[in-house]
Short mmCIF file of all heavy atoms in Angstrom, two decimals:
data_model
loop_
_atom_site.label_atom_id
_atom_site.label_comp_id
_atom_site.label_asym_id
_atom_site.label_seq_id
_atom_site.Cartn_x
_atom_site.Cartn_y
_atom_site.Cartn_z
N VAL A 1 91.66 68.38 124.78
CA VAL A 1 91.78 69.51 123.87
C VAL A 1 93.24 69.94 123.83
O VAL A 1 93.85 70.17 124.87
CB VAL A 1 90.89 70.68 124.32
CG1 VAL A 1 91.09 71.87 123.43
CG2 VAL A 1 89.46 70.26 124.38
N LEU A 2 93.77 70.05 122.61
CA LEU A 2 95.16 70.48 122.43
C LEU A 2 95.24 72.00 122.43
O LEU A 2 94.38 72.68 121.88
CB LEU A 2 95.71 69.96 121.11
CG LEU A 2 95.81 68.44 120.99
CD1 LEU A 2 96.24 68.06 119.58
CD2 LEU A 2 96.79 67.89 122.01
N PRO A 3 96.26 72.56 123.05
CA PRO A 3 96.40 74.01 123.02
C PRO A 3 96.73 74.48 121.60
O PRO A 3 97.42 73.80 120.85
CB PRO A 3 97.55 74.30 123.97
CG PRO A 3 98.30 73.02 124.06
CD PRO A 3 97.31 71.91 123.80
N ILE A 4 96.23 75.64 121.25
CA ILE A 4 96.48 76.21 119.93
C ILE A 4 97.76 77.04 120.01
O ILE A 4 97.89 77.91 120.85
CB ILE A 4 95.31 77.09 119.48
CG1 ILE A 4 94.05 76.24 119.37
CG2 ILE A 4 95.62 77.78 118.16
CD1 ILE A 4 92.80 77.04 119.10
N GLU A 5 98.71 76.72 119.14
CA GLU A 5 99.96 77.46 119.12
C GLU A 5 99.75 78.78 118.38
O GLU A 5 99.02 78.82 117.39
CB GLU A 5 101.04 76.67 118.37
CG GLU A 5 101.67 75.59 119.20
CD GLU A 5 102.89 75.02 118.50
OE1 GLU A 5 103.71 75.81 117.99
OE2 GLU A 5 103.01 73.81 118.48
N PRO A 6 100.35 79.84 118.87
CA PRO A 6 100.22 81.10 118.13
C PRO A 6 100.89 80.98 116.77
O PRO A 6 101.86 80.23 116.60
CB PRO A 6 100.95 82.11 119.01
CG PRO A 6 101.77 81.32 119.94
CD PRO A 6 101.15 79.95 120.05
N MET A 7 100.35 81.68 115.79
CA MET A 7 100.91 81.63 114.45
C MET A 7 102.32 82.21 114.46
O MET A 7 102.54 83.30 114.98
CB MET A 7 100.03 82.43 113.48
CG MET A 7 100.49 82.29 112.05
SD MET A 7 99.34 83.00 110.88
CE MET A 7 99.55 84.73 111.18
N ARG A 8 103.22 81.47 113.93
CA ARG A 8 104.61 81.93 113.86
C ARG A 8 104.81 82.68 112.56
O ARG A 8 104.48 82.18 111.49
CB ARG A 8 105.57 80.76 113.94
CG ARG A 8 105.54 80.10 115.29
CD ARG A 8 106.71 79.15 115.45
NE ARG A 8 106.67 78.62 116.79
CZ ARG A 8 106.69 77.33 117.08
NH1 ARG A 8 106.75 76.44 116.13
NH2 ARG A 8 106.65 76.93 118.33
N LEU A 9 105.36 83.86 112.64
CA LEU A 9 105.61 84.66 111.46
C LEU A 9 107.00 84.38 110.93
O LEU A 9 107.95 84.26 111.68
CB LEU A 9 105.49 86.15 111.78
CG LEU A 9 104.12 86.61 112.24
CD1 LEU A 9 104.19 88.08 112.63
CD2 LEU A 9 103.10 86.40 111.16
N ASN A 10 107.10 84.27 109.63
CA ASN A 10 108.38 84.09 108.99
C ASN A 10 108.94 85.48 108.70
O ASN A 10 108.41 86.22 107.89
CB ASN A 10 108.21 83.29 107.70
CG ASN A 10 109.52 82.93 107.07
OD1 ASN A 10 110.54 83.53 107.38
ND2 ASN A 10 109.51 81.97 106.19
N MET A 11 110.00 85.86 109.36
CA MET A 11 110.53 87.21 109.26
C MET A 11 111.22 87.47 107.92
O MET A 11 111.60 88.59 107.62
CB MET A 11 111.49 87.50 110.41
CG MET A 11 110.82 87.47 111.76
SD MET A 11 109.31 88.45 111.88
CE MET A 11 109.99 90.09 111.89
N THR A 12 111.38 86.45 107.07
CA THR A 12 111.96 86.70 105.75
C THR A 12 110.92 87.25 104.80
O THR A 12 111.27 87.77 103.76
CB THR A 12 112.57 85.41 105.17
OG1 THR A 12 111.54 84.43 105.03
CG2 THR A 12 113.68 84.89 106.05
N HIS A 13 109.64 87.13 105.12
CA HIS A 13 108.57 87.67 104.30
C HIS A 13 108.04 88.92 104.98
O HIS A 13 107.66 88.89 106.14
CB HIS A 13 107.43 86.66 104.14
CG HIS A 13 107.88 85.36 103.55
ND1 HIS A 13 108.36 85.25 102.28
CD2 HIS A 13 107.93 84.12 104.08
CE1 HIS A 13 108.69 83.99 102.04
NE2 HIS A 13 108.45 83.29 103.13
N HIS A 14 108.06 90.01 104.23
CA HIS A 14 107.56 91.26 104.77
C HIS A 14 107.00 92.11 103.65
O HIS A 14 107.05 91.73 102.49
CB HIS A 14 108.67 92.00 105.54
CG HIS A 14 109.85 92.36 104.70
ND1 HIS A 14 110.87 91.47 104.44
CD2 HIS A 14 110.16 93.48 104.04
CE1 HIS A 14 111.76 92.05 103.67
NE2 HIS A 14 111.36 93.28 103.41
N ILE A 15 106.48 93.25 103.99
CA ILE A 15 105.94 94.18 103.01
C ILE A 15 107.00 95.20 102.65
O ILE A 15 107.63 95.80 103.52
CB ILE A 15 104.68 94.90 103.55
CG1 ILE A 15 103.60 93.88 103.92
CG2 ILE A 15 104.17 95.92 102.55
CD1 ILE A 15 103.08 93.06 102.78
N VAL A 16 107.21 95.39 101.35
CA VAL A 16 108.16 96.37 100.86
C VAL A 16 107.38 97.62 100.49
O VAL A 16 106.49 97.58 99.65
CB VAL A 16 108.93 95.84 99.62
CG1 VAL A 16 109.89 96.89 99.09
CG2 VAL A 16 109.66 94.55 99.95
N ARG A 17 107.68 98.71 101.17
CA ARG A 17 107.00 99.98 100.92
C ARG A 17 107.64 100.67 99.71
O ARG A 17 108.78 100.36 99.33
CB ARG A 17 107.12 100.86 102.17
CG ARG A 17 106.46 100.28 103.43
CD ARG A 17 104.95 100.09 103.27
NE ARG A 17 104.30 101.29 102.75
CZ ARG A 17 103.96 102.35 103.48
NH1 ARG A 17 104.13 102.34 104.78
NH2 ARG A 17 103.42 103.40 102.90
N PRO A 18 106.92 101.60 99.08
CA PRO A 18 107.45 102.25 97.87
C PRO A 18 108.83 102.88 98.06
O PRO A 18 109.70 102.74 97.20
CB PRO A 18 106.40 103.33 97.56
CG PRO A 18 105.13 102.77 98.11
CD PRO A 18 105.54 102.01 99.36
N LYS A 19 109.06 103.54 99.18
CA LYS A 19 110.37 104.16 99.45
C LYS A 19 111.48 103.11 99.43
O LYS A 19 112.57 103.34 98.88
CB LYS A 19 110.31 104.88 100.80
CG LYS A 19 111.58 105.58 101.18
CD LYS A 19 111.42 106.26 102.53
CE LYS A 19 112.69 106.91 102.98
NZ LYS A 19 112.56 107.54 104.29
N ASP A 20 111.20 101.95 100.03
CA ASP A 20 112.19 100.87 100.07
C ASP A 20 112.42 100.27 98.68
O ASP A 20 113.54 99.90 98.34
CB ASP A 20 111.76 99.79 101.05
CG ASP A 20 111.58 100.31 102.45
OD1 ASP A 20 112.36 101.20 102.85
OD2 ASP A 20 110.66 99.85 103.15
N LEU A 21 111.35 100.18 97.89
CA LEU A 21 111.48 99.63 96.54
C LEU A 21 112.29 100.58 95.65
O LEU A 21 113.10 100.12 94.84
CB LEU A 21 110.10 99.37 95.93
CG LEU A 21 110.07 98.57 94.65
CD1 LEU A 21 110.74 97.20 94.83
CD2 LEU A 21 108.65 98.39 94.15
N VAL A 22 112.11 101.87 95.83
CA VAL A 22 112.92 102.86 95.10
C VAL A 22 114.39 102.69 95.44
O VAL A 22 115.25 102.67 94.56
CB VAL A 22 112.42 104.30 95.41
CG1 VAL A 22 113.42 105.33 94.95
CG2 VAL A 22 111.06 104.54 94.76
N GLN A 23 114.69 102.54 96.73
CA GLN A 23 116.09 102.35 97.16
C GLN A 23 116.66 101.04 96.64
O GLN A 23 117.81 100.97 96.22
CB GLN A 23 116.19 102.39 98.67
CG GLN A 23 116.06 103.77 99.26
CD GLN A 23 116.23 103.75 100.77
OE1 GLN A 23 115.95 102.75 101.43
NE2 GLN A 23 116.68 104.87 101.32
N LYS A 24 115.84 100.00 96.67
CA LYS A 24 116.32 98.67 96.28
C LYS A 24 116.60 98.58 94.78
O LYS A 24 117.52 97.89 94.36
CB LYS A 24 115.27 97.63 96.69
CG LYS A 24 115.72 96.21 96.61
CD LYS A 24 114.71 95.29 97.29
CE LYS A 24 115.34 93.93 97.49
NZ LYS A 24 114.58 93.10 98.38
N THR A 25 115.78 99.28 93.96
CA THR A 25 115.90 99.17 92.51
C THR A 25 116.66 100.32 91.87
O THR A 25 117.19 100.17 90.77
CB THR A 25 114.51 99.11 91.86
OG1 THR A 25 113.82 100.34 92.13
CG2 THR A 25 113.72 97.93 92.35
N GLY A 26 116.67 101.48 92.52
CA GLY A 26 117.27 102.65 91.91
C GLY A 26 116.36 103.31 90.90
O GLY A 26 116.76 104.25 90.21
N LEU A 27 115.12 102.85 90.80
CA LEU A 27 114.15 103.42 89.88
C LEU A 27 113.27 104.43 90.62
O LEU A 27 113.11 104.34 91.83
CB LEU A 27 113.25 102.31 89.30
CG LEU A 27 113.97 101.21 88.53
CD1 LEU A 27 113.01 100.08 88.19
CD2 LEU A 27 114.60 101.77 87.27
N SER A 28 112.72 105.38 89.87
CA SER A 28 111.85 106.37 90.50
C SER A 28 110.46 105.78 90.74
O SER A 28 110.09 104.75 90.15
CB SER A 28 111.71 107.60 89.60
OG SER A 28 110.95 107.28 88.44
N ARG A 29 109.69 106.43 91.59
CA ARG A 29 108.32 105.98 91.86
C ARG A 29 107.48 106.03 90.59
O ARG A 29 106.65 105.16 90.35
CB ARG A 29 107.68 106.84 92.94
CG ARG A 29 108.25 106.57 94.31
CD ARG A 29 107.62 107.46 95.34
NE ARG A 29 106.25 107.03 95.60
CZ ARG A 29 105.68 107.00 96.78
NH1 ARG A 29 106.36 107.39 97.84
NH2 ARG A 29 104.45 106.60 96.93
N SER A 30 107.72 107.05 89.75
CA SER A 30 106.99 107.18 88.49
C SER A 30 107.28 106.00 87.57
O SER A 30 106.38 105.44 86.95
CB SER A 30 107.35 108.48 87.78
OG SER A 30 107.03 109.59 88.57
N THR A 31 108.55 105.63 87.48
CA THR A 31 108.94 104.49 86.64
C THR A 31 108.33 103.20 87.18
O THR A 31 107.83 102.38 86.40
CB THR A 31 110.46 104.37 86.56
OG1 THR A 31 110.98 105.58 85.97
CG2 THR A 31 110.90 103.18 85.75
N LEU A 32 108.38 103.02 88.49
CA LEU A 32 107.79 101.82 89.08
C LEU A 32 106.29 101.76 88.79
O LEU A 32 105.75 100.69 88.47
CB LEU A 32 108.04 101.79 90.58
CG LEU A 32 109.50 101.58 91.00
CD1 LEU A 32 109.67 101.78 92.49
CD2 LEU A 32 110.00 100.21 90.57
N ARG A 33 105.60 102.89 88.87
CA ARG A 33 104.17 102.92 88.58
C ARG A 33 103.90 102.58 87.12
O ARG A 33 102.98 101.83 86.81
CB ARG A 33 103.59 104.31 88.94
CG ARG A 33 102.11 104.38 88.77
CD ARG A 33 101.40 103.53 89.81
NE ARG A 33 99.96 103.67 89.64
CZ ARG A 33 99.10 102.68 89.67
NH1 ARG A 33 99.52 101.46 89.93
NH2 ARG A 33 97.83 102.87 89.50
N ARG A 34 104.70 103.13 86.20
CA ARG A 34 104.53 102.80 84.78
C ARG A 34 104.75 101.31 84.54
O ARG A 34 104.02 100.68 83.76
CB ARG A 34 105.49 103.62 83.92
CG ARG A 34 105.05 105.04 83.70
CD ARG A 34 105.84 105.70 82.59
NE ARG A 34 107.26 105.84 82.92
CZ ARG A 34 107.79 106.87 83.57
NH1 ARG A 34 107.03 107.87 83.95
NH2 ARG A 34 109.08 106.92 83.81
N MET A 35 105.76 100.75 85.21
CA MET A 35 106.03 99.31 85.06
C MET A 35 104.88 98.49 85.62
O MET A 35 104.52 97.45 85.05
CB MET A 35 107.34 98.95 85.77
CG MET A 35 108.57 99.55 85.11
SD MET A 35 110.07 99.23 86.03
CE MET A 35 110.37 97.54 85.54
N GLU A 36 104.30 98.94 86.71
CA GLU A 36 103.17 98.22 87.30
C GLU A 36 101.98 98.24 86.35
O GLU A 36 101.32 97.22 86.14
CB GLU A 36 102.80 98.85 88.63
CG GLU A 36 101.76 98.08 89.38
CD GLU A 36 101.43 98.70 90.72
OE1 GLU A 36 101.90 99.82 91.01
OE2 GLU A 36 100.70 98.06 91.47
N ILE A 37 101.69 99.39 85.76
CA ILE A 37 100.58 99.52 84.81
C ILE A 37 100.83 98.64 83.59
O ILE A 37 99.90 98.01 83.07
CB ILE A 37 100.38 100.99 84.42
CG1 ILE A 37 99.84 101.77 85.62
CG2 ILE A 37 99.45 101.13 83.22
CD1 ILE A 37 99.84 103.27 85.46
N ALA A 38 102.09 98.57 83.13
CA ALA A 38 102.45 97.75 81.98
C ALA A 38 102.44 96.26 82.30
O ALA A 38 102.51 95.42 81.40
CB ALA A 38 103.81 98.17 81.45
N GLY A 39 102.39 95.92 83.58
CA GLY A 39 102.38 94.51 83.98
C GLY A 39 103.75 93.91 84.16
O GLY A 39 103.88 92.69 84.26
N THR A 40 104.79 94.74 84.19
CA THR A 40 106.15 94.20 84.36
C THR A 40 106.64 94.26 85.79
O THR A 40 107.77 93.85 86.07
CB THR A 40 107.14 94.95 83.44
OG1 THR A 40 107.09 96.35 83.76
CG2 THR A 40 106.79 94.76 81.98
N LEU A 41 105.82 94.78 86.68
CA LEU A 41 106.13 94.84 88.11
C LEU A 41 105.01 94.11 88.84
O LEU A 41 103.86 94.19 88.43
CB LEU A 41 106.19 96.31 88.57
CG LEU A 41 106.53 96.59 90.02
CD1 LEU A 41 107.99 96.27 90.29
CD2 LEU A 41 106.26 98.05 90.36
N PRO A 42 105.32 93.37 89.88
CA PRO A 42 104.26 92.69 90.62
C PRO A 42 103.19 93.68 91.09
O PRO A 42 103.50 94.85 91.34
CB PRO A 42 104.98 92.08 91.83
CG PRO A 42 106.40 92.01 91.44
CD PRO A 42 106.64 93.14 90.50
N PRO A 43 101.95 93.23 91.19
CA PRO A 43 100.89 94.13 91.65
C PRO A 43 101.09 94.54 93.10
O PRO A 43 101.60 93.78 93.91
CB PRO A 43 99.61 93.30 91.48
CG PRO A 43 100.06 91.89 91.46
CD PRO A 43 101.45 91.89 90.91
N ARG A 44 100.67 95.75 93.39
CA ARG A 44 100.80 96.28 94.75
C ARG A 44 99.69 95.75 95.63
O ARG A 44 98.68 95.25 95.15
CB ARG A 44 100.79 97.80 94.74
CG ARG A 44 99.49 98.36 94.24
CD ARG A 44 99.40 99.85 94.29
NE ARG A 44 100.40 100.50 93.48
CZ ARG A 44 100.70 101.78 93.58
NH1 ARG A 44 100.05 102.56 94.40
NH2 ARG A 44 101.64 102.30 92.83
N ILE A 45 99.88 95.87 96.93
CA ILE A 45 98.89 95.49 97.93
C ILE A 45 98.42 96.77 98.59
O ILE A 45 99.25 97.58 99.01
CB ILE A 45 99.51 94.59 99.02
CG1 ILE A 45 100.20 93.39 98.42
CG2 ILE A 45 98.48 94.18 100.04
CD1 ILE A 45 101.16 92.77 99.37
N LYS A 46 97.13 96.95 98.68
CA LYS A 46 96.60 98.12 99.35
C LYS A 46 96.55 97.82 100.85
O LYS A 46 95.87 96.91 101.29
CB LYS A 46 95.22 98.46 98.82
CG LYS A 46 94.71 99.76 99.33
CD LYS A 46 93.50 100.22 98.56
CE LYS A 46 93.10 101.57 99.11
NZ LYS A 46 92.27 102.30 98.21
N LEU A 47 97.29 98.60 101.62
CA LEU A 47 97.37 98.39 103.06
C LEU A 47 96.45 99.31 103.83
O LEU A 47 96.16 99.07 104.99
CB LEU A 47 98.82 98.61 103.53
CG LEU A 47 99.87 97.72 102.86
CD1 LEU A 47 101.26 98.18 103.25
CD2 LEU A 47 99.64 96.28 103.20
N GLY A 48 96.02 100.37 103.19
CA GLY A 48 95.16 101.36 103.82
C GLY A 48 94.72 102.35 102.78
O GLY A 48 94.98 102.19 101.59
N ALA A 49 94.05 103.41 103.22
CA ALA A 49 93.54 104.41 102.28
C ALA A 49 94.67 105.03 101.45
O ALA A 49 94.50 105.27 100.25
CB ALA A 49 92.78 105.48 103.04
N TYR A 50 95.80 105.32 102.06
CA TYR A 50 96.92 105.96 101.36
C TYR A 50 98.21 105.18 101.55
O TYR A 50 99.30 105.78 101.55
CB TYR A 50 97.10 107.39 101.86
CG TYR A 50 95.87 108.23 101.66
CD1 TYR A 50 95.00 108.49 102.71
CD2 TYR A 50 95.56 108.73 100.40
CE1 TYR A 50 93.85 109.24 102.52
CE2 TYR A 50 94.42 109.48 100.20
CZ TYR A 50 93.57 109.74 101.26
OH TYR A 50 92.44 110.48 101.06
N CYS A 51 98.13 103.89 101.71
CA CYS A 51 99.29 103.07 102.05
C CYS A 51 99.31 101.83 101.17
O CYS A 51 98.33 101.09 101.12
CB CYS A 51 99.20 102.70 103.53
SG CYS A 51 100.62 101.84 104.17
N VAL A 52 100.42 101.63 100.44
CA VAL A 52 100.56 100.45 99.58
C VAL A 52 101.91 99.79 99.83
O VAL A 52 102.80 100.38 100.46
CB VAL A 52 100.42 100.81 98.09
CG1 VAL A 52 99.06 101.37 97.78
CG2 VAL A 52 101.52 101.75 97.65
N GLY A 53 102.07 98.61 99.31
CA GLY A 53 103.33 97.89 99.42
C GLY A 53 103.30 96.67 98.53
O GLY A 53 102.33 96.42 97.81
N TRP A 54 104.37 95.92 98.57
CA TRP A 54 104.50 94.69 97.80
C TRP A 54 105.02 93.60 98.71
O TRP A 54 105.81 93.86 99.62
CB TRP A 54 105.51 94.88 96.66
CG TRP A 54 105.06 95.80 95.58
CD1 TRP A 54 104.45 95.45 94.40
CD2 TRP A 54 105.18 97.22 95.54
NE1 TRP A 54 104.19 96.57 93.66
CE2 TRP A 54 104.63 97.68 94.33
CE3 TRP A 54 105.70 98.17 96.42
CZ2 TRP A 54 104.58 99.01 93.98
CZ3 TRP A 54 105.65 99.51 96.07
CH2 TRP A 54 105.10 99.92 94.87
N HIS A 55 104.62 92.36 98.45
CA HIS A 55 105.18 91.23 99.19
C HIS A 55 106.65 91.11 98.82
O HIS A 55 107.01 91.15 97.64
CB HIS A 55 104.47 89.92 98.82
CG HIS A 55 103.11 89.78 99.40
ND1 HIS A 55 102.90 89.53 100.73
CD2 HIS A 55 101.89 89.87 98.82
CE1 HIS A 55 101.61 89.46 100.95
NE2 HIS A 55 100.97 89.67 99.82
N SER A 56 107.48 90.95 99.81
CA SER A 56 108.93 90.87 99.56
C SER A 56 109.28 89.67 98.68
O SER A 56 110.19 89.76 97.86
CB SER A 56 109.70 90.79 100.87
OG SER A 56 109.36 89.63 101.59
N THR A 57 108.54 88.59 98.81
CA THR A 57 108.81 87.42 97.97
C THR A 57 108.52 87.71 96.51
O THR A 57 109.25 87.27 95.62
CB THR A 57 108.00 86.20 98.44
OG1 THR A 57 106.62 86.57 98.52
CG2 THR A 57 108.47 85.72 99.79
N ASP A 58 107.45 88.50 96.23
CA ASP A 58 107.15 88.89 94.85
C ASP A 58 108.22 89.80 94.29
O ASP A 58 108.63 89.66 93.13
CB ASP A 58 105.79 89.60 94.78
CG ASP A 58 104.62 88.69 95.07
OD1 ASP A 58 104.80 87.45 95.04
OD2 ASP A 58 103.52 89.21 95.35
N VAL A 59 108.68 90.74 95.11
CA VAL A 59 109.73 91.67 94.67
C VAL A 59 111.02 90.92 94.39
O VAL A 59 111.66 91.13 93.35
CB VAL A 59 109.96 92.78 95.73
CG1 VAL A 59 111.20 93.60 95.39
CG2 VAL A 59 108.74 93.67 95.85
N ASP A 60 111.41 90.02 95.27
CA ASP A 60 112.64 89.25 95.08
C ASP A 60 112.56 88.38 93.83
O ASP A 60 113.52 88.30 93.06
CB ASP A 60 112.94 88.39 96.31
CG ASP A 60 113.33 89.22 97.52
OD1 ASP A 60 113.73 90.40 97.34
OD2 ASP A 60 113.21 88.71 98.65
N ALA A 61 111.41 87.74 93.62
CA ALA A 61 111.23 86.90 92.43
C ALA A 61 111.30 87.76 91.16
O ALA A 61 111.91 87.36 90.16
CB ALA A 61 109.90 86.15 92.49
N TRP A 62 110.69 88.94 91.22
CA TRP A 62 110.72 89.85 90.06
C TRP A 62 112.15 90.30 89.78
O TRP A 62 112.59 90.29 88.63
CB TRP A 62 109.81 91.05 90.35
CG TRP A 62 109.93 92.15 89.36
CD1 TRP A 62 109.55 92.13 88.04
CD2 TRP A 62 110.50 93.43 89.58
NE1 TRP A 62 109.84 93.33 87.45
CE2 TRP A 62 110.43 94.16 88.37
CE3 TRP A 62 111.05 94.06 90.69
CZ2 TRP A 62 110.89 95.46 88.25
CZ3 TRP A 62 111.51 95.36 90.56
CH2 TRP A 62 111.43 96.04 89.35
N LEU A 63 112.88 90.70 90.81
CA LEU A 63 114.27 91.13 90.62
C LEU A 63 115.14 90.01 90.06
O LEU A 63 115.99 90.24 89.20
CB LEU A 63 114.85 91.66 91.93
CG LEU A 63 114.31 93.00 92.42
CD1 LEU A 63 114.82 93.31 93.81
CD2 LEU A 63 114.65 94.12 91.44
N ASN A 64 114.93 88.80 90.53
CA ASN A 64 115.71 87.66 90.04
C ASN A 64 115.37 87.29 88.60
O ASN A 64 116.18 86.67 87.92
CB ASN A 64 115.52 86.45 90.95
CG ASN A 64 116.20 86.63 92.28
OD1 ASN A 64 117.19 87.33 92.40
ND2 ASN A 64 115.65 86.01 93.31
N SER A 65 114.17 87.67 88.15
CA SER A 65 113.75 87.33 86.78
C SER A 65 114.26 88.35 85.76
O SER A 65 114.21 88.09 84.56
CB SER A 65 112.22 87.28 86.69
OG SER A 65 111.66 88.58 86.75
N LEU A 66 114.76 89.50 86.22
CA LEU A 66 115.25 90.52 85.29
C LEU A 66 116.59 90.09 84.72
O LEU A 66 117.41 89.48 85.40
CB LEU A 66 115.41 91.86 86.03
CG LEU A 66 114.13 92.49 86.58
CD1 LEU A 66 114.45 93.74 87.36
CD2 LEU A 66 113.16 92.80 85.45
N PRO A 67 116.82 90.46 83.45
CA PRO A 67 118.13 90.13 82.85
C PRO A 67 119.24 90.89 83.53
O PRO A 67 119.08 92.06 83.93
CB PRO A 67 117.99 90.55 81.39
CG PRO A 67 116.78 91.41 81.32
CD PRO A 67 115.95 91.13 82.53
N ARG A 68 120.36 90.25 83.72
CA ARG A 68 121.53 90.87 84.35
C ARG A 68 122.29 91.69 83.32
O ARG A 68 122.50 91.24 82.18
CB ARG A 68 122.45 89.82 84.97
CG ARG A 68 121.78 88.97 86.02
CD ARG A 68 121.60 89.79 87.28
NE ARG A 68 120.92 88.97 88.28
CZ ARG A 68 120.03 89.45 89.10
NH1 ARG A 68 119.68 90.71 89.06
NH2 ARG A 68 119.45 88.68 89.99
N ALA A 69 122.76 92.84 83.71
CA ALA A 69 123.53 93.70 82.79
C ALA A 69 124.99 93.31 82.80
O ALA A 69 125.52 92.76 83.69
CB ALA A 69 123.37 95.15 83.18
#
């Protein structure tokens, strides 16, 4: 029987909380919510009863897809 290796976590992938997304984008929470409803922001992940976030890879891909000013 081979020993089972513990799952290794990739530290480049994490959950981006709303406060961090506001800081990263410069947009307000209200604007982010409107964008999410419109389908222009990646869908959120429900982490708990009052806790949400986004996969960092989804956020990075979304930011890279936006037109540069």
Side-chain angles (χ1 to χ4, degrees):
V1 176
L2 296 174
I4 298 173
E5 280 190 46
M7 186 171 71
R8 292 193 176 127
L9 297 176
N10 186 342
M11 296 310 286
T12 61
H13 303 295
H14 61 276
I15 301 298
V16 178
R17 298 298 310 279
K19 181 180 177 181
D20 300 325
L21 191 57
V22 166
Q23 285 182 333
K24 192 169 194 167
T25 63
L27 301 171
S28 70
R29 288 179 72 140
S30 300
T31 299
L32 292 171
R33 184 69 178 136
R34 282 194 296 272
M35 293 175 79
E36 187 178 8
I37 291 169
T40 58
L41 181 71
R44 63 176 61 195
I45 306 162
K46 188 168 183 160
L47 303 171
Y50 301 101
C51 186
V52 298
W54 292 264
H55 286 287
S56 62
T57 53
D58 292 344
V59 170
D60 291 340
W62 170 68
L63 289 172
N64 289 332
S65 73
L66 296 176
R68 301 286 179 218

